[in-house]
Amino acid sequence: MLVTGGSRGIGRATVVSLAEAGASVGLSYHSAHEEAERAVEDARAACEAAPCEVKLWSEAGDLSHEADVERLFARVDVEFGGLDGFVGNAGVWNSAATPLSELGPRQWREMVDVNLTSIYLTTRAAVKRMGEGGRVVLLSSTAAQRGEAEHSHYAATKGAINSFCKSIATELGPRGITVNAVAPGWVDTDMSASVLRTPALERVISEIPLRRVATAEDVAGPICFLLSDLARHLTGEVVNVNGGSVLCG
């Protein structure tokens, strides 16, 4: 298995959950070396408690750059010799509200590169290494379905991921490869802390039918399900993991 953006948040929780289930996992990260090492250590500890024997490793890189993607997958080839499952989780969200009238071309391109180009490059490389039974899970967002005012560039990239998911699910189905997306709502991670650690949290919770913000583990569970044989006949779907918030728009 390979998980991009695996050093923290949803990616880290997914790495730990996969290792606990007995899967060997490589994780990529941009620059947070110490966090990536801790994620590997936590995954190894979870595996030992299971107990199981797995291979765990991490690799740095900017996945919007083709050379870094090639280096990451050269590591995949050395460590695994192929790939059974891929989680495209690398991405960013900026809490700063940016109306369309103030959204500059540079901001737009940076968001597209990090959230979408990286998904295209890594997914393309991953499926080249998959045989029948391969699993691809891409991280989308509730924002792709409801829209997100003053975050149009973020919502646009996540909407594109939904369409990308459905297109390649159709393309890769004859090869026995499933492709699905997971769309979280608010998740209690470092990326959303600038909002969830403020009085705005009360408003956020009031818009979620289950009346709580998801943990990273809440999202990792459905990801692991989609990577398993239990989901072998499920493809081209966008699975909402948002406590029902998408119902209230």
Side-chain angles (χ1 to χ4, degrees):
M1 300 285 181
L2 176 67
V3 179
T4 65
S7 63
R8 57 185 180 176
I10 294 169
R12 175 195 170 281
T14 301
V15 170
V16 172
S17 295
L18 287 171
E20 189 173 23
S24 291
V25 189
L27 70 90
S28 78
Y29 63 98
H30 186 271
S31 56
H33 177 73
E34 291 184 1
E35 290 179 331
E37 289 302 302
R38 283 198 295 271
V40 169
E41 291 171 5
D42 289 345
R44 184 169 290 115
C47 176
E48 290 173 352
C52 53
E53 293 184 7
V54 300
K55 182 178 290 188
L56 301 163
W57 53 269
S58 63
E59 183 76 26
D62 182 339
L63 301 184
S64 65
H65 294 166
E66 193 167 2
D68 285 15
V69 172
E70 289 175 353
R71 186 176 68 250
L72 170 63
F73 281 88
R75 180 78 182 272
V76 169
D77 293 339
V78 170
E79 299 285 357
F80 298 150
L83 204 57
D84 296 322
F86 170 70
V87 180
N89 171 68
V92 295
W93 174 78
N94 190 331
S95 63
T98 308
L100 180 61
S101 59
E102 299 174 14
L103 181 63
R106 181 177 178 180
Q107 290 170 286
W108 176 271
R109 285 192 294 267
E110 287 177 348
M111 185 67 72
V112 169
D113 281 346
V114 174
N115 282 8
L116 189 56
T117 301
S118 67
I119 290 292
Y120 148 67
L121 290 173
T122 53
T123 305
R124 181 182 66 167
V127 300
K128 287 180 180 179
R129 291 161 170 82
M130 285 184 180
E132 185 172 354
R135 303 281 186 265
V136 175
V137 181
L138 306 178
L139 268 291
S140 179
S141 169
T142 301
Q145 294 150 281
R146 296 180 61 182
E148 189 170 358
E150 300 183 329
H151 295 273
S152 58
H153 51 337
Y154 173 78
T157 61
K158 295 302 184 177
I161 287 172
N162 289 354
S163 296
F164 182 64
C165 165
K166 292 176 182 295
S167 295
I168 62 174
T170 303
E171 178 181 331
L172 298 173
R175 288 176 51 189
I177 296 172
T178 66
V179 185
N180 294 287
V182 167
W186 286 103
V187 184
D188 188 7
T189 64
D190 292 344
M191 190 165 69
S192 59
S194 59
V195 174
L196 300 182
R197 302 292 188 274
T198 73
L201 174 62
E202 184 176 349
R203 174 188 58 79
V204 168
I205 291 176
S206 72
E207 296 174 352
I208 302 172
L210 287 182
R211 293 296 188 265
R212 70 177 180 87
V213 171
T215 66
E217 289 73 19
D218 289 329
V219 184
I223 292 172
C224 292
F225 162 70
L226 291 170
L227 292 168
S228 76
D229 284 343
L230 293 172
R232 62 185 176 273
H233 205 61
L234 197 161
T235 195
E237 295 297 326
V238 179
V239 178
N240 289 302
V241 187
N242 50 48
S245 62
V246 76
L247 304 173
C248 302

